[in-house]
Amino acid sequence: MSTSPTASGPDLDSAFAALGDPVRRALVTRLARGDATVGQLAEPFDLTPQAISHHVGVLRRCGLVEQRREGTRRPCRLRADHLSLLGGWIDEQRRAWDDRLDALERHLDDDGTVR
């Protein structure tokens, strides 16, 4: 597992920690619809643009969001490819647990245990 964001993907630990915050999840949901500035991201919240900027910074540092300069604007963009890597990790864990549960079920069936 990566410990820091790279070109190949996000830092999974910090990305999952970042997504533990409901404001950051809402920002990711909003950015999934398209790029937005910090001011635009702040509109639906009862938070200052500075507070939203802090949340965006957390998402940037873990590799889920990037910002670019367009003149005086700095739009934020969701790194959907990095978000997909998180989903891939979750899918791997789900498959591993499904395999374990299937093995347990086979063991119980072979053992003759009644369910």
Side-chain angles (χ1 to χ4, degrees), residues 19-101:
L19 294 173
D21 184 282
V23 171
R24 290 191 279 265
R25 286 193 308 273
L27 294 176
V28 166
T29 298
R30 166 54 186 88
L31 289 171
R33 294 193 322 259
D35 298 359
T37 64
V38 168
Q40 291 168 325
L41 291 171
E43 287 172 4
F45 295 98
D46 189 23
L47 296 170
T48 65
Q50 292 80 10
I52 295 297
S53 187
H54 167 77
H55 287 293
V56 167
V58 171
L59 292 169
R60 267 190 18 255
R61 285 189 295 280
C62 72
L64 294 178
V65 168
E66 67 183 14
Q67 277 184 295
R68 65 185 184 284
R69 291 190 187 275
E70 288 181 357
T72 58
R73 298 181 62 218
R74 291 191 49 145
C76 303
R77 181 177 79 89
L78 180 64
R79 293 292 312 263
D81 55 336
H82 288 189
L83 194 60
S84 292
L85 291 172
L86 297 180
W89 184 87
I90 291 169
D91 289 343
E92 287 174 19
Q93 302 312 305
R94 184 180 302 117
R95 279 191 298 276
W97 278 102
D98 284 346
D99 291 346
R100 289 177 184 145
L101 292 172

